[in-house]
Amino acid sequence: MGRQKRWRVKSPNALLQKIMSAELGISNILAQLLINRGIYTVEQARAFLGGELDRLFSPWLMKDMDKAVERILLARQNNEVVLVYGDYDVDGITGTTILLLALRKLGCNATCYIPHRLEEGYGLNQEALGKAYDQGVSLVVTVDCGISGVEEVAAASLMGLDIVITDHHEPPEILPVAVAVLDPKRHDCPYPFKELAGVGVAMKLIQALFQQAGLGPREWEAYLDLVCLGTVADIVPLQGENRIIVKHGLSKINTTSRPGLQALIKISGLRKDSFGTRELGFGLAPRLNAAGRMGDATLGVELLLATDPQVAEEMAERLNKGNQERQQVEAKVLAEALALLENNPNMVQGKAIVLASSNWHPGVIGIVASRLVDRFYRPVL
Ligand SMILES: [Mn+2]
């Protein structure tokens, strides 16, 4: 039932090769490799090959950054309870962790909330916001979600709950009326790099907060290990700022002093000195993701926050078990899906494949769908 692959080979661009190799002192082959990756100017190539941290853009270029920073520092001054409202994937888990750590470093009274994948689903929900308000929260800062929460934000502000949104998803036509809406994909956001992960947007907020609060200019770099992990796991293009984050983050992971990350590396059977994006994407990320897929992602945040190595190892062990469980459930669902297709060959004849079963665990249907995409080369719902 498989399909043949169709290779589309790019033809070399001799002129651009010549310009780049002359300007940058690189070979024609390297120049063409850069061109193949969508790098068409000498300036872009220089950034790609250099990738130093000082090439990151100023966080203040992001629309609403000033409003977000002002509101959060006001919360610190008034000793308000600030809730970081995240997401259950690795991008959301790492982003929630770094923002929580950064707010606490600033002296904020901060806590976090990650919605339950199966019981609540993705994004802001009114019940969770209502509960937070009842527990004394007066400011919510989202990570990796919220841009499509127009109704939820409106209901929250009626209650008297302020919301700062940080997200990287495509915004809807009508933005939520929040205190601040940070999202480089906002049409009116002049931030030059649009492909940050959710954890990357959280990092920009931390940079601005630390600068405004007078912390050292390199303090935010302490979070680069987690920013790198979330960025790789979210499969955003590794170009521009993402490439710089990953380049510097990988070496931070090698030397991380975070007990949770150390425990996760150990249980994944990875050697620290051989770290690349593959090890992050296929070793660490699935284990961290397992918590959210099978139930509650809060364990992922707790692991990354852990300060006691022994507690961290126990949590990593639980995540590893969860990941094995996820693999078994996934294999079963995949087998059932394939059997369904085999018994109904007409289902693979169309332009897309649509499958359903009430037996299938919602936490793994996305992964199974992408396995079927790899096999049948067409969209799978
Ligand atoms: Mn994300």
Side-chain angles (χ1 to χ4, degrees), residues 89 91 144 168-169 198 234:
D89 67 356
D91 187 22
D144 196 30
H168 72 128
H169 294 102
D234 223 47

Side-chain angles (χ1 to χ4, degrees), residues 59-338:
W60 303 102
L61 292 173
M62 205 174 283
K63 175 99 182 162
D64 276 4
M65 184 61 82
D66 48 344
K67 291 183 196 159
V69 168
E70 192 186 337
R71 182 62 187 88
I72 292 168
L73 292 180
L74 180 72
R76 173 176 76 160
Q77 194 184 318
N78 295 339
N79 201 28
E80 295 173 62
V81 184
V82 182
L83 181 77
V84 179
Y85 191 113
D87 181 32
Y88 39 68
D89 67 356
V90 176
D91 187 22
I93 290 172
T94 51
T96 303
T97 304
I98 65 164
L99 191 55
L100 192 59
L101 285 169
L103 291 177
R104 288 181 178 164
K105 189 181 175 70
L106 284 167
C108 292
N109 184 355
T111 159
C112 76
Y113 185 80
I114 298 200
H116 194 286
R117 185 180 200 126
L118 308 179
E119 285 159 18
E120 295 169 88
Y122 171 78
L124 290 171
N125 75 74
Q126 286 184 24
E127 207 186 316
L129 291 174
K131 251 189 226 161
Y133 181 75
D134 290 341
Q135 286 165 5
V137 172
S138 51
L139 175 63
V140 171
V141 184
T142 71
V143 171
D144 196 30
C145 70
I147 194 73
S148 50
V150 179
E151 280 170 41
E152 291 79 5
V153 172
S157 55
L158 272 181
M159 272 191 295
L161 184 59
D162 279 353
I163 300 199
V164 167
I165 289 168
T166 83
D167 202 343
H168 72 128
H169 294 102
E170 208 60 58
E173 223 153 277
I174 298 165
L175 292 180
V177 185
V179 173
V181 180
L182 304 183
D183 186 336
K185 293 213 175 90
R186 262 180 84 159
H187 302 302
D188 56 352
C189 179
Y191 196 75
F193 184 66
K194 303 289 177 188
E195 305 292 341
L196 287 171
V199 69
V201 179
M203 179 192 89
K204 300 314 290 190
L205 174 59
I206 293 170
Q207 287 179 319
L209 279 167
F210 280 11
Q211 193 182 339
Q212 190 69 16
L215 271 69
R218 304 194 53 168
E219 296 268 5
W220 66 271
E221 292 176 24
Y223 309 116
L224 268 169
D225 53 348
L226 298 182
V227 183
C228 170
L229 174 56
T231 296
V232 170
D234 223 47
I235 327 184
V236 286
L238 293 188
Q239 291 185 354
E241 289 197 307
N242 289 339
R243 186 176 151 84
I244 301 175
I245 287 166
V246 170
K247 180 182 166 189
H248 294 268
L250 278 175
S251 63
K252 294 259 183 200
I253 291 176
N254 279 324
T255 56
T256 187
S257 55
R258 246 178 263 288
L261 208 46
Q262 284 177 340
L264 200 61
I265 291 168
K266 196 173 151 197
I267 200 120
S268 309
L270 296 168
R271 292 213 348 249
K272 270 217 218 166
D273 46 12
S274 61
F275 250 90
T277 51
R278 163 171 279 273
E279 283 69 27
L280 297 193
F282 295 96
L284 305 189
R287 289 176 173 82
L288 209 47
N289 242 331
R293 285 199 190 283
M294 307 309 286
D296 190 359
T298 314
L299 180 61
V301 176
E302 281 168 1
L303 173 76
L304 297 178
L305 289 174
T307 50
D308 181 334
Q310 205 183 327
V311 174
E313 283 195 17
E314 282 162 22
M315 290 196 276
E317 180 70 43
R318 270 164 64 199
L319 282 174
N320 199 46
K321 282 222 180 83
N323 191 45
Q324 287 164 352
E325 218 179 284
R326 186 271 300 168
Q327 285 169 333
Q328 285 163 8
V329 174
E330 181 192 320
K332 197 175 143 257
V333 173
L334 179 62
E336 283 185 28
L338 286 172

